[in-house]
Amino acid sequence: MDKLISFLANCQTQFINLTRVSILIVMVWIGGLKAFQYEADGIVPFVANSPLMSFFYTKDAPEYKEYKNPEGKTVQKNKDWHVENGTYTFAYGLGIVIILIGILTFIGIWNAKIGLYGGLLTFGMSLVTLTFLITTPEVYVPNLGGDFPTPQYGFPYLSGAGRLVLKDVIMMGAGLICASDCAKRILKSKS
């Protein structure tokens, strides 16, 4: 057990770098998916209901509910609505920003100043994402009329979308760990 404890204690820097790699993988993958219609359609409830982001769309919530495309299927009238709404343009821009944040965080392995910005942006992006737990009705299980033995809908019953959003608590902490490591390295280089 002592060897394991010693190993873990001596590998903190490598584990922080692994965290940076993990952030890069998640950000490039999620950001890259924003270029695809199903992913752009999927973020509409989050963006449309967010006081911080809804201005990016031309249509108000909850009109989007009438124009949902099932994953893997395109209904032309729904796609036309999303084009008019700015869904795809916003998703492309958001995807680029997410990828850039991942890259900045990853570069922190070699450049502490750039990595500091990446870590702080990762934290900030995650904080904004977590606000969806307050603003987006779709993050909680809807009332479908069940009453086993008590109703199991609304808060705290997270839907698939809600469980996805809640995971950003981890990303928020990881961003701060990376930013903190970079800040420590910046201070060390000044002394």
Side-chain angles (χ1 to χ4, degrees), residues 19-169:
T19 301
R20 289 182 174 103
V21 171
S22 301
I23 289 171
L24 176 72
I25 291 168
V26 169
M27 300 290 219
V28 168
W29 198 333
I30 297 291
L33 286 176
K34 299 291 184 265
F36 295 93
Q37 177 226 314
Y38 88 95
E39 176 67 14
D41 291 355
I43 65 171
V44 170
F46 301 113
V47 177
N49 286 293
S50 171
L52 301 173
M53 302 175 86
S54 61
F55 67 91
F56 286 108
Y57 289 160
T58 60
K59 310 282 188 183
D60 293 327
E63 185 179 339
Y64 63 86
K65 290 182 180 186
E66 300 171 37
Y67 300 95
K68 285 186 174 183
N69 282 312
E71 283 189 16
K73 184 176 180 184
T74 302
V75 177
Q76 190 59 47
K77 79 171 181 69
N78 295 350
K79 186 175 179 184
D80 294 343
W81 183 90
H82 285 288
V83 169
E84 187 179 320
N85 184 44
T87 298
Y88 305 123
T89 303
F90 173 74
Y92 301 150
L94 180 62
I96 290 167
V97 168
I98 291 170
I99 290 169
L100 288 174
I101 292 171
I103 291 169
L104 292 174
T105 304
F106 177 69
I107 290 173
I109 293 172
W110 304 282
N111 187 307
K113 287 182 182 179
I114 292 173
L116 175 68
Y117 292 119
L120 291 174
L121 288 168
T122 299
F123 168 79
M125 184 196 74
S126 301
L127 196 60
V128 169
T129 301
L130 287 168
T131 67
F132 299 152
L133 292 172
I134 299 166
T135 62
T136 308
E138 285 86 350
V139 299
Y140 297 104
V141 173
N143 182 355
L144 300 175
D147 56 350
F148 167 82
T150 58
Q152 295 182 347
Y153 61 87
F155 181 83
Y157 303 104
L158 292 170
S159 66
R163 293 188 298 271
L164 180 71
V165 169
L166 187 62
K167 290 178 185 175
D168 262 50
V169 169

